[in-house]
Structures are given as C-alpha cells and as structure tokens.
Amino acid sequence: MKVPFSWLKEYVDIDMTAQELEKKLFSCGFEVEELIDLRDGMDRVVVGIVTEAVKQEGTHLTICKLDCGEYGKDIQISTGADNIFVGAHVPVALDNSVLPGGFKIKKKALQGIESYGMLCSGEELKINDDIYPGADVYGILILPEDTVPGTDIGEVVGINDYIFDISVTANRPDCQSVLGIAREVAAILKKPLKMPATDYKESGYKLEDFGIRVDAPDLCPRYLGHYVRNITPGESPRWMKKHLALCGLRSISNVVDITNYVMLEIGQPMHAFDMDTLQEKQIIVRRAAEGEKIQTLDEKEFTLNPNNLVICDGNRPVALAGIMGGLNSEITGSTTQLLFEAAKFVRDSVRKTARSLGQNTDSSSHFEKGISEYTVELGMKRALHLIEELGCGEITSTSFDCDAGESKEGKHFTATLSGINKILGIEVPEDAVMDILGSLGFEVRKDGDTLEVTAPRYREDIEIGEPDLAEEVIREYGYDNLVPTFLDSAMVTSGGLKPDQKRRARMKQIMVGDGYFEVSNLAMYSDEELNRLHIKEDAPERNVARIQNPITEKLTIMRTTLAPCLLNVVVDNLKMGTQAGRIFEMANVYFPKQVPVTESLTEIRHLGFAAFGNEEDFFTFKGTAELIAESLDIHFDYERCQDVPYLHPGIAAYVMVNGEKIGTIGKLANDVTAELDLPKDSKDNLKIYLGELDYDKLMQFVKKDFKFENLPEFPEVTRDLALVADEQITCGQIEKEIRHASPAVTDVRLFDIYRDPVRIGIGKKNMAFRITFLDRRKALSPEDINSFVKKILGNLK
C-alpha cells in the first residue's frame, strides 16, 4: 500500500525525516518494502525567468536568456518549444544537472549555438496535471508568475516528497489506509492524531418510495446507503487530485474522486449509483442467479452463479459486490442524483468471486483483508463531508442502514499485567503498558493487577486477550528490550538431523553424484496430467483426493505419482533448448483413506527420477537403480513390465526386493512421447526415461544400523560364464538363480549378449556373465570355485 509522507503529515505532526520514520515503522511491525523518493535523483533543476527569446534563423530553435537567481542572471539555453515567451517562469535544468530518473544534462552546441541547460516540460519532470496544473501541456511547463528565480523546482511542483510502499499483513486490515498508518505513526511518536472532518448538514428533502434490502446478511452484515441530489459533476480540487496521483490514481470527476479518496484515506471502498439509471426504486443485495450476467465498469462481461454476491436494482445486477460497479449505473457528466454505498462484505465471499472471475481490484483487495463496521460508518460520513466541502451535491435526509445485528462495541477482554509480562519474558513497567495501550486506542480500566480492556472497533484482529495485548505492547515498547530465555518446559538438545533425515540427505547426495539435479514440484496437478500418461480410469493412481476450492483448474487433485511432475520438468527443459539432463525428486504422494475424504490422507514418500538425451539408454538408467541398491547394501531384482501405460512395454521393468515390487523404471512409451507438446523435429530420436520407487517401502528392507566391516583378508575370485538360453528368459531370472546358488557369490554382471540363428539356433541367445566369489573365512581354491559353478549350472537346468 502506497502512503505519501506529505499526506501522513496532515494527521500527525511528524518531526523526523522519512528515512527515520521508515525505521520506526519497521521496528513496530510494518515492513516498508520501498521508500520512493519522488525527486528520483533530481538535482540543480530550478525556476528561471525568460528575459530574452530570439528565433534562430533557419532553425526551429529559440535562443533564450534566463534569470535563475543565484545560479546566474544571464544563462543562455536553446529550446525547440513553441510556447516560450519573454517573462515566462519555467523549470530550468542547469548545466551538470540531473533530471528525475538519473538523466544528466550538460552544456552542448545546438545548431552551432552553445546551450547551457534545458527548459523542462511536465513529462521530463515525471509529473502530470494531477500533481501540478499544466504539466500535461505539450511544451514547456509554465509556472505561476510569483515563483522566485533560483527556487528548487521540487518545492514548486510539490515533488519534494516520499511515498512509503508498506506491506500490510492480512491480520491488520485496519492499516490498509492512510488514516490507519497515521494512527500507528501517532502511537509511535506519542503525538495526537488529527482525525479527518466528518461533519455535514442534511437538507430536509426526503426521497419517497425507495428502499434497500439485504437478502444475504451472511455475506453482507452491514450496508449503508445515502441519497444525494442536485449533483454538479466537475473537476476535483488540486489537493485531492494530488493525493490521488501520489497513490497512483488519476482524477476522473469530483464525485468519482470522492469514492476513491475515501478508499485511500479511510480504507472503505465505496460506490455511487446513478439513480436515474436504476430500473426500479430499490436496491437489493442478494446472491446471483445461476447464469446471470453483468457488465462491469471496465466493459467486461461475466456470467455469475449463486456463489457471487451482487447489488441489484430489483431486476438486474448493477454492481459486483466488493469488486466493481456495473456499467449500467455508471456516474457520468449528466448525473444529477446518486446513492452512496458503503458496506461490509464477508472477506472470503469477495476473495472467491474475485479469483473465480479473474477480476481483482483495489476494492476487492481491501475487502479480502477485512473491513470493520466502524470503517463503514466513518467512510460514509467522510464521503458526505467531502460532498459538502466540494459543493457538488445536496445531502438529503434519506439514508438507509441494513444491519445484521453485529455488536457496535469493541471487543472486551480481561487480562493481567503479570500475564502480559509472563508472555513477554520481561518486566514492562505498568505505566508503559497503560500508555501504549491508550495510544493505540484501547480503553483500559485497571484494578490492581487486572486490566479490563476494550479494543477499538476497527481492531477486529484482536482475538485472544493477553497474547494479542502482549504483542501490541512489545511492538511499541521495542523488540530490542526482549531478553532471550528458555521456556519452562524447554531443554537443551544436541541438535542435528534425525536418522531418517540423514538417510534422505544421503540418498539425495547419491542422486546428485550420479549427475541428477533435484527438482521440487507442487503436490497438486489435474486429471489431465494423468490422461496425458494414458493412465486408465480404474488404475490406483486415479484414487485421488480432490481440492474443494482449487486455485486454478490445473491444480485440482493431490498427486498419486511423481511421473507427471517429472515429465513436465523434462518437457519444459526440452522447450528451452536443453538437449539432455537428469532430474530427481523425493516427495510425498497422497491417497485418500476413504472417498469422499473425511480424514487426513495417507502420505507415502516416493523417489522419482528421469533422464533424457541421446547418451541415455535403458542400461545407463538402470545403473541409477543399481547405484541406489548398492548404497543401501541391498539387492534389486527386475521383472519385465508391460502393464504401466506410460512406459514402453519392451523397455521397462519392475524393481523388486525380496520378491516385492517397490517401483518401476523404463523408457517413455512411444505414443505418449508423440503427444508431448514439443516441436515435431525435436521428437525425432527423443529418448525419455522415467523411474519411481516407493521410498518408504524400500527403507523397510534397509538395515537400520550399518556396521563397519574390515576389508576381507582373502582375495576375490572371478569367473566368466557363458550360457545359451531361450529368448524369453530374462537376464534377471538367470542372475537370481546364480545368486541363490551360493552365499559366496557377491556380484553378478552381464557383459555380453550374442545371437546367431545358425550357430546357436532360432529363438536362442548367448549371455555372458562375470561372477565374483568371496569367502571372508578362507581363501577360495579352484576346487571350491568349480563346485560353486557346478551348483549354478545345476540350478539353471
């Protein structure tokens, strides 16, 4: 939220610089994201009086002499502007000056004549008509004749100012206005707060046969309306235009400007309806009908449903509650009578409507944080005062107040000084506590150690008594006064990672060491992600938990597999020109315990990994799985996998441990690859491999405690064994039998496959294995090895 320093000074006598106030605000919990200097680096730009102006023959230039006071009485500057004249008071950027934005001005020759600076327009000073009259004129900015030569131009046009860009947190909706921040500044500086004027006089006129009704009090607990007639639309005064402009809004007309001004000053979004455009003499606040339409002031049309709250004139919506008015009730130059609206709309209703329609406005951002009934009342009074002050309408005695019956008093709490100090862990003096709470608008009655506290009506965030009051006290008393202490139940621990955390960290290090980059994806995606992988409707991955109020249509279900997320990252990298890479993610997948979901989900940690590029093949990818198994001191078996729809049926395998499936690895199926959103030429020879392991199940097979073993005293012995087998027999099956033949077998590796229908027969293949034997008790003799080999061959028959 943008708050001009000069505007704050209208409510509080601030006797410090903007930089000092920035630190004060930060110290009491308000983050100033940026302190914007409106001068933006401007230097040596002053007022000058044109004392001579001569056209340069043969050019469009005028050679001027200027009186710039102490900077020089006879400064020569050439200009191409055609609105210059002798006696004009103008902004002059002198030699070696700097314009806003850092643009430097130095003397130079124009058409052979030396020019010692530049005459400036409003655009070059980065101001418009709302900041200073005449700034939008094409040409040099002409200043009033009473401006003194040599005066800094920032003082003249009013840009010797700062804008505080403050991040207002969701728990402080009372501070989303200039007045709200001014309250805090007054408390910080221990200065009185000057409230804006809210007095006005009503005429005796009473509008007959007009009414307001709220049919959805659960979404609109308070709705105020006031009838104003004899409207005279026109320009707003300069002070109002400037305040709006400093906050980023352009002036439209006096009536419209008042609604915007009240929103910025008081924090109350307002709307004004042109009474002549209402089809019936009534206003109804209700839920929209299914399929009902509205066209808003920005000329966008929306189709509504009962989740949307609308303001109607009896027949049709004339405003989208809390967001924007309708084009059919817009205030125009011909408006003669209007109805001012100030309301409290329930925050989640406005938020859901704004998000579902994609219509976020300044008004909706205020309502989404929350508006108090006090602010509704103050906003209406302030708007009516401004109508009277600007003389742009007659305030009638016709007013409406639709109230759902909420309390008109601030929240009441009983607290104790000792309780507040116990929470803070320090002893804050009694007088300091009373002064702080009083300066923040709390009414406090003290009886010994007990405090009877009534919060201001605009402080709806105060909920839980002593903890909230302790927070209010310490942010004003100073966080630097806190003394670090242990909680009563605290104990010193050695710290460090838990065993499970260490195992996960080690697994990530293994993946990184094998060339993988870690990625992190959202835990949600859509059914479309599962469709893209051709996952069947009755597959376990379709047993999903659905999001009741999704942020977007792309995040509607909790993920049940990591494969879609990993594939999205691969596709994004390919689109950006990355031709090869390896990625992994260790994260949870989620399954509902029952449908519909009525309790917490079952969370299972998975390890997903993917590789793509011309250098990758099934065996390099399988090597990653082998590396994982070796690091955990377990053994993986593999079985042919033909029923995972997104993996190639001939280049995929189940990963097994002790006969139990723990995951899959394989090449992305050709039909899935063909449907990827990639340029056609990039799909040629594209190889993508996906793997996913149930990490939690895998850890059940891992030894909890690794013990150090001495290096073997006796050497390993290797033997190569070539076997002829039927084509349908897999390497994994043979490897499994070899390992089961003897506990002395420590490693089995396939190093060659040979096929020749003439020499070894049709449907046959020759596989060569290198087998490693080791016995830690003795050295293996040739007879021992021959015995092992004989047993292996016996198992393979």
Side-chain angles (χ1 to χ4, degrees), residues 48 114 133 186 206 220 261 608 615 661 683 686 705:
E114 287 288 340
K206 187 76 174 178
C220 177
Y261 189 86
E615 299 299 320
K661 293 178 184 177
K683 295 182 183 179
L686 177 60
D705 296 316

Side-chain angles (χ1 to χ4, degrees), residues 51 60 347 554 718:
T51 57
H60 70 291
R347 66 182 75 181
K554 294 182 179 180
T718 60

Side-chain angles (χ1 to χ4, degrees), residues 716-764:
E716 294 179 337
V717 179
T718 60
R719 286 289 186 271
D720 291 345
L721 185 62
L723 304 168
V724 176
D726 292 335
E727 190 68 51
Q728 66 268 23
I729 296 176
T730 66
C731 169
Q733 290 174 304
I734 295 176
E735 182 180 336
K736 182 178 180 181
E737 295 301 328
I738 293 174
R739 289 183 179 275
H740 287 175
S742 171
V745 176
T746 59
D747 191 34
V748 182
R749 294 186 183 276
L750 176 73
F751 66 86
D752 188 35
I753 298 180
Y754 174 72
R755 293 178 176 87
D756 190 323
V758 176
R759 295 186 179 183
I760 62 176
I762 298 174
K764 302 288 185 179

Side-chain angles (χ1 to χ4, degrees), residues 507 609 622-630 632-639 654-658 660 662 665 693 698 701-702 732 735-736 739:
M507 181 61 68
F609 49 104
K622 177 173 175 271
T624 299
E626 291 295 318
L627 183 63
I628 292 171
E630 183 179 351
L632 299 175
D633 195 26
I634 59 177
H635 174 69
F636 285 166
D637 293 316
Y638 302 91
E639 287 186 2
Y654 284 115
V655 181
M656 317 284 292
V657 179
N658 294 348
E660 189 170 349
I662 63 159
I665 58 171
L693 305 178
L698 175 61
F701 298 99
V702 177
E735 182 180 336
K736 182 178 180 181
R739 289 183 179 275

Side-chain angles (χ1 to χ4, degrees), residues 579-605:
Q579 300 300 317
R582 290 182 166 194
I583 59 172
F584 80 96
E585 180 173 17
M586 184 181 290
N588 287 348
V589 296
Y590 305 85
F591 289 93
K593 296 177 181 178
Q594 60 184 54
V595 178
V597 178
T598 58
E599 54 183 303
S600 61
L601 304 177
T602 298
E603 301 183 30
I604 306 171
R605 192 176 301 279

Side-chain angles (χ1 to χ4, degrees), residues 721 738 741 745 771 773 787-796:
L721 185 62
I738 293 174
V745 176
I771 308 171
F773 301 90
S787 173
F788 295 150
V789 172
K790 189 174 182 179
K791 189 174 181 182
I792 290 170
L793 293 174
N795 287 355
L796 292 173

